[in-house]
Amino acid sequence: MPLTQTQADEIEAARAASAETRRPTVPALEAMLFRAMPVLDHGFVRVVDYMGDDAAIVQAARVSYGRGTRRVSEDAGLIRYLMRHRHSTPFEMCEIKYHVKLPIFVARQWIRHRTANVNEYSARYSILDREFYIPAPEHLAAQSTDNRQGRGSVLQGEEAAHVLALLREDATRTYDHYAEMLNEDAPDPDRQGLARELARMNLTLNTYTQWYWKSDLHNLFHFLSLRADPHAQYEIRAYAEAMLATVEAWVPAAYGAFRDYRLGAATFSAGMLATLRRMLSGEPVTQAESGLNKREWAEMMAALGRPA
Ligand SMILES: Cc1cc2nc3c(=O)[nH]c(=O)nc-3n(C[C@H](O)[C@H](O)[C@H](O)COP(=O)(O)OP(=O)(O)OC[C@H]3O[C@@H](n4cnc5c(N)ncnc54)[C@H](O)[C@@H]3O)c2cc1C
């Protein structure tokens, strides 16, 4: 586990404390609160705070005064309706705050999601930990030959061993130089040591950083729809999948609607729908006759579970 004993003790102390509140709480998420869920080799995601629940979405949609008296099934139906029709603002009434430890190259992808609030660990102020992401052998993949943004088969044997050794050596060597330039660990009295904000610049992108990341549920769903998707790089997907588990515990009805109408859904263009209608009426349609280009055709067939 990537936590020091002090960090683990702080988390346990936070988990031991509780306060009475009139605000809505969610027992399943309370059970997870503060605890670090391991991701990759040294990373984690943990929920540090949240606001709202499924009822808050319903309450906002109905603009009601209290928690309401409708049945759970009616509330779930309303949430599904809101999700289906992209009536998004009620989902913005729920907020969640995560503490995430992640490799810098994953953080670069993640930070593109501009609708969250972020505060990153300052490597100008503090020294980064000697922790690097080294892929597990099953994730050490070759470049895909048919997708420039994707991975192909897993590297094997000597090549895999060599790549792993290079990743470890490069990260270790640059971290050693970082520590040497800082001159803070067993300092040499004849050297001043380089400023932390400069010494960090040669660290490898697999060095871990940390941040607090807060989002409302609507934007979190947008993030998860892109990053829990098979097209997303495995490493960020691993974080998205851990976060999905927290969302399921937190807002089960909204999570169910999201799985149904976003994660598990496919979007068809007007041209695709026209093709689908022709196919359903029994007409044999080929890609050339469909008016779709080869890529659209392949994507549509994949969504329908048919050979391209
Ligand atoms: C599989 C995959 C591959 C990618 N490849 C690349 C790549 O090769 N190169 C690259 O640079 N990026 C790449 N990205 C990043 C991608 O282009 C988006 O920047 C990223 O996913 C964030 O999405 P977003 O802007 O919708 O999210 P957010 O920033 O969270 O924004 C959410 C929504 O808010 C609205 N919004 C937010 N800010 C603005 C604004 N300033 N103006 C107008 N509308 C706004 C938009 O509707 C947006 O969809 C990739 C992403 C994925 C998932």
Side-chain angles (χ1 to χ4, degrees):
M1 185 54 143
L3 299 171
T4 63
Q5 192 54 50
T6 315
Q7 289 163 341
D9 291 346
E10 280 177 24
I11 289 174
E12 281 318 307
R15 284 179 59 80
S18 66
E20 202 173 305
T21 178
R22 289 197 173 92
R23 294 169 50 214
T25 54
V26 180
L29 192 60
E30 292 285 316
M32 291 179 156
L33 207 55
F34 309 136
R35 206 157 252 170
M37 303 164 72
V39 184
L40 305 182
D41 50 357
H42 298 289
F44 62 72
V45 174
R46 62 189 197 103
V47 177
V48 289
D49 207 354
Y50 68 100
M51 181 177 85
D53 55 6
D54 275 331
I57 300 166
V58 170
Q59 191 186 33
R62 295 195 176 119
V63 193
S64 63
Y65 291 86
R67 306 278 294 158
T69 52
R70 310 268 171 112
R71 288 207 314 268
V72 171
S73 60
E74 284 179 62
D75 286 355
L78 174 57
I79 287 173
R80 288 177 65 79
Y81 175 88
L82 298 171
M83 181 70 72
R84 199 161 60 241
H85 293 280
R86 298 183 185 270
H87 183 5
S88 52
T89 42
F91 296 99
E92 293 173 19
M93 301 299 158
C94 297
E95 293 262 341
I96 192 159
K97 182 161 61 182
Y98 293 99
H99 176 189
V100 190
K101 185 169 181 183
L102 69 174
I104 293 170
F105 73 93
V106 176
R108 276 182 67 169
Q109 295 186 332
W110 195 317
I111 202 69
R112 300 297 307 281
H113 296 266
R114 298 156 291 176
T115 44
N117 306 106
V118 190
N119 196 69
E120 188 173 1
Y121 182 87
S122 172
R124 295 182 69 190
Y125 181 80
S126 308
I127 298 175
L128 287 162
D129 292 333
R130 184 188 278 274
E131 279 175 332
F132 328 112
Y133 168 62
I134 305 293
E138 66 270 24
H139 295 298
L140 206 63
Q143 174 62 44
S144 164
T145 49
D146 55 5
N147 175 0
R148 274 183 242 166
Q149 267 198 346
R151 297 183 183 186
S153 56
V154 172
L155 298 186
Q156 303 290 336
E158 255 180 50
E159 185 180 9
H162 181 59
V163 166
L164 284 174
L166 286 179
L167 288 171
R168 271 198 204 95
E169 277 166 29
D170 286 356
T172 306
R173 191 180 67 246
T174 61
Y175 193 93
D176 287 345
H177 289 168
Y178 171 66
E180 186 184 335
M181 290 190 283
L182 289 173
N183 194 34
E184 295 198 35
D185 191 17
D188 170 354
D190 296 330
R191 289 196 288 125
Q192 288 188 81
L194 187 64
R196 293 172 182 180
E197 66 181 18
L198 284 171
R200 62 179 167 171
M201 70 180 154
N202 69 334
L203 289 170
T204 48
L205 292 180
N206 59 348
T207 308
Y208 274 85
T209 184
Q210 299 184 39
W211 60 34
Y212 267 49
W213 192 85
K214 181 171 74 69
S215 171
D216 64 58
L217 183 60
H218 165 65
N219 286 300
L220 175 60
F221 278 149
H222 180 66
F223 172 86
L224 293 172
S225 68
L226 293 170
R227 302 303 183 176
D229 185 273
H231 293 98
Q233 175 165 350
Y234 160 74
E235 283 75 16
I236 196 164
R237 201 156 20 97
Y239 286 89
E241 275 161 16
M243 290 158 84
L244 278 176
T246 66
V247 176
E248 184 176 17
W250 174 33
V251 281
Y255 171 82
F258 171 67
R259 278 219 91 95
D260 222 10
Y261 295 121
R262 295 284 178 281
L263 271 194
T267 303
F268 281 180
S269 66
M272 288 173 174
L273 268 183
T275 304
L276 186 59
R277 285 195 189 101
R278 285 168 66 190
M279 290 164 75
L280 286 173
S281 70
E283 191 183 332
V285 190
T286 64
Q287 181 263 318
E289 295 158 351
S290 69
L292 303 173
N293 67 35
K294 283 186 181 153
R295 194 153 188 177
E296 287 174 312
W297 177 265
E299 286 174 12
M300 179 178 166
M301 292 304 135
L304 294 174
R306 288 178 159 220

